[in-house]
Amino acid sequence: SSLVLSSAVFAGTDDPSTVPTPNAPPEAGEPLVVKGRTLHPMHGLVAVGDKLATLDIPSSQFFLAKDEARYIVEEVCHNPEDPSVVGLVMPTADEAGWMTVISYDPEHGHVADSDAKSINFSELLTQMKEDVLSGNEARKASGYDTATLLGWSEPPHYDPAQHKLYWAKRLAFSSSKGETLNYCVRVLTRRGVLEMNTIDDPANLATVAASSQALLASTTVLSGERYQEFDSSIDKVAVGGIAALIAGGVLAKTGLFAVIGKFLLAFIKPILIGLAVAGGWIWKFVKNRMATSPKREH
């Protein structure tokens, strides 16, 4: 059944009187050495992109900025280079296993939302399933798993006042026995779309939804990049509206879902981190290190 979430999570983030100070110093945990590279986990108020937005990360989670996030996604999880990755959020709790990859492509263009009220999500899902299947030959040739889009875990919801969108879908990959939950959050901006994709087991939908909604509510687009500041005389316009945004993401990120999904669901290979610390999940090691660091209250 569909998980019903309150629209209250959208409140207030575009009100100038409530915008947090983007230069506030983030709180940081102990530096981590992951496969020979020192990483700097943060929580509190963190900057995302080039004067694009801020996120407020609770002490129960940590944030890795652009270069360190790309290191995890590309070098540790063995995904292709992706310059659109601007951050990564993970939980510190041992029992939690989700990962949120944050991306922003300034060349995407401004997404018009005039089609939001008229979208038939059942028809859109059918088309998305067909698109995933039609792309399997190319994914296989590139060395990725083939994929099947099984359906919505949470149908799309769009808030036209805050220009924020979320949905969740269930995916299956050829080398995994289980399913993968992909919880998608989109924040529309003046020039593009801030994407937050969370990957986990479908059984953890409620936990992932709560974390994703909290992250969405804490996201503040900064002055100069807000949706309503779009200038048609100088800003690029994206091809397609909200429906295209929902449908397009399932193809672009399927390789990423397949690779990270293996870490979440299958425990296929141990990861060697630092001095040969082995584990099925990279964040298992990271969280153990975080647990030994002093916690700060907000």
Side-chain angles (χ1 to χ4, degrees), residues 16-244:
S17 66
T18 65
V19 174
T21 304
N23 295 323
E27 297 188 51
E30 179 186 347
L32 306 170
V33 178
V34 179
K35 296 183 68 174
R37 172 151 181 184
T38 301
L39 306 179
H40 303 84
M42 297 180 287
H43 60 265
L45 198 65
V46 300
V48 176
D50 183 12
K51 299 180 180 178
L52 174 65
T54 60
L55 307 176
D56 193 2
I57 307 298
S59 58
S60 60
Q61 301 169 15
F62 66 89
F63 173 83
L64 295 177
K66 181 179 176 67
D67 290 345
E68 297 181 1
R70 287 190 63 184
Y71 175 74
I72 296 296
V73 171
E74 297 170 10
E75 300 299 325
V76 177
C77 292
H78 305 293
N79 285 280
E81 292 186 4
D82 186 355
S84 73
V85 173
V86 295
L88 193 66
V89 178
M90 296 183 189
T92 59
D94 287 341
E95 66 273 12
W98 53 264
M99 172 191 289
T100 299
V101 180
I102 304 173
S103 305
Y104 180 76
D105 182 358
E107 296 302 316
H108 186 282
H110 181 85
V111 176
D113 63 356
S114 56
D115 67 330
K117 292 183 179 180
S118 61
I119 300 172
N120 183 318
F121 291 121
S122 294
E123 292 181 358
L124 180 62
L125 180 63
T126 298
Q127 182 61 53
M128 289 167 64
K129 288 181 176 180
E130 293 174 356
D131 289 344
V132 171
L133 291 176
S134 66
N136 274 336
E137 185 174 346
R139 276 190 287 276
K140 187 175 182 180
S142 298
Y144 290 121
D145 288 357
T146 56
T148 303
L149 175 59
L150 301 175
W152 304 121
S153 289
E154 170 70 10
H157 300 257
Y158 179 64
D159 183 336
Q162 297 295 322
H163 313 291
K164 293 181 176 181
L165 169 71
Y166 66 89
W167 72 95
K169 54 185 180 281
R170 294 161 40 239
L171 294 159
F173 297 98
S174 55
S175 68
S176 177
K177 295 181 180 179
E179 298 178 9
T180 297
L181 168 70
N182 174 222
Y183 202 99
C184 306
V185 167
R186 302 290 184 267
V187 180
L188 276 59
T189 71
R190 172 183 174 176
R191 308 173 210 272
V193 182
L194 184 61
E195 301 185 7
M196 304 178 192
N197 292 302
T198 303
I199 305 99
D200 203 347
D201 188 307
N204 298 328
L205 173 62
T207 298
V208 170
S211 298
S212 297
Q213 292 292 333
L215 186 63
L216 177 61
S218 79
T219 302
T220 300
V221 179
L222 299 179
S223 178
E225 295 295 337
R226 294 175 187 153
Y227 188 83
Q228 58 268 34
E229 294 174 297
F230 169 71
D231 185 341
S232 61
S233 67
I234 58 175
D235 295 333
K236 177 182 176 180
V237 178
V239 176
I242 297 298

